Amino acid sequence: MAARVTKKQSLRRDLFFFRRRPKLRGISMDWNPVEGDDLQQMLESDGFVSDSLWQQYDISRHPVIAQDLRDLRQHLIPTFYEFSQKAKYFQNRYYLYQWVFIWGAFLTTVFGTLTTYAYNPFAAIQTAPAAVTEATAAPGQPGAADAPAASSLFTAQAGGGTTWSRLFGYLTAILGAVTAFFTALSNRGEPQKRWAKNRRLTEELRMHYFKYLAHLPPYDKPDRVQRLREFVIDSRIKEQENVG
C-alpha cells in the first residue's frame, strides 16, 4: 500500500525553495565527450537511436539508416550534448542565486530586527528612574552633587545593549552586501536567459535529429549532409549571440 502524502508534504514538494535546490558543488559547463557503451547509454536515455536497438538485426542490411546515424553522431550529437550541459550549468546557477537571495533576504531581516531590539535606550530609563531624578535635581538641592555619577550611570545603562546591537549590525551589513553581490551577478550573467536559450537550441537539435532520420525537409535532397552542417553551425552562432 502506497504511503499517503499529507497536504503539508505535498505543499513542501511544490515549493520552489525545496524542489529546486541547487548543487552547491556546481555543475561543469563543459561536456566531456564519451564513447562506446557510455555514449550508447546516453543516447538511449535521451531517446535517440542507440546500438542496443539493433542487437537483433543486421544494420548492414540498412545502409541508408546506418549512414544517417554516422552523420548525426559526427555533426549533431556533440553539439546537442554541449548545449544540454550548458543548459544544466546555467539552470543550477540560476537556482543557486535564487537560494542565496532568499536566504540573504531572510537573514538580513532577522538580524536587522535583532539589531533594533538589542539597541533599546528606553530600557535604561525604566531601569534607572532614581538616577534620572537625581540627575535633574536643581543645583544646591540634595542629590545635585551626585548628578555626574547618575549621568554616567544612565549612559552606561543606555549603552549596555550596544555590544550586541553592533554585532547584529555588522552581520546585517555583511549579509546585505553578500545578497546584493549575488543579485548583481544574477542580473549581469543572466543565467535564466542563457539556460532557456541553451535548452531551446538543444530541443531544436533533437527535432532535427529525427527529421534527418526521416528524410523530411530540408533533409530530403542530395545535399542533406551539408544542410545538417549548416544548421548546426547556425545553432552555435545563435548560442553565442548576446553573451557578455
Side-chain angles (χ1 to χ4, degrees), residues 131-132 134-135 146-157:
V132 174
E134 293 176 357
D146 299 331
S151 178
S152 299
L153 176 63
F154 173 77
T155 303
Q157 292 182 352

Side-chain angles (χ1 to χ4, degrees), residues 113-180:
T113 303
L114 292 175
T115 302
T116 305
Y117 179 79
Y119 183 73
N120 186 8
F122 297 103
I125 299 176
Q126 297 174 359
T127 57
V132 174
T133 302
E134 293 176 357
T136 57
Q141 295 182 356
D146 299 331
S151 178
S152 299
L153 176 63
F154 173 77
T155 303
Q157 292 182 352
T162 57
T163 300
W164 285 105
S165 65
R166 287 177 182 175
L167 176 61
F168 291 140
Y170 293 148
L171 291 175
T172 303
I174 293 173
L175 288 170
V178 171
T179 303

Side-chain angles (χ1 to χ4, degrees), residues 97-98 179-193:
Y97 290 156
Q98 294 303 305
T179 303
F181 174 73
F182 276 91
T183 302
L185 284 180
S186 179
N187 293 334
R188 182 177 181 180
E190 298 182 326
Q192 185 180 23
K193 180 179 178 181

Side-chain angles (χ1 to χ4, degrees), residues 57-117:
Y57 303 94
D58 183 8
I59 193 173
S60 61
R61 298 176 58 183
H62 307 277
V64 176
I65 297 178
Q67 183 60 47
D68 289 347
L69 292 176
R70 285 194 292 269
D71 294 340
L72 290 168
R73 291 180 189 177
Q74 179 180 358
H75 303 294
L76 186 143
I77 290 298
T79 304
F80 173 88
Y81 281 112
E82 287 178 19
F83 288 176
S84 180
Q85 186 66 26
K86 287 184 179 180
K88 295 176 183 177
Y89 169 80
F90 287 114
Q91 180 185 27
N92 189 71
R93 285 278 295 272
Y94 172 70
Y95 291 158
L96 176 62
Y97 290 156
Q98 294 303 305
W99 260 56
V100 171
F101 176 78
I102 292 172
W103 277 111
F106 173 73
L107 293 176
T108 300
T109 303
V110 170
F111 285 110
T113 303
L114 292 175
T115 302
T116 305
Y117 179 79

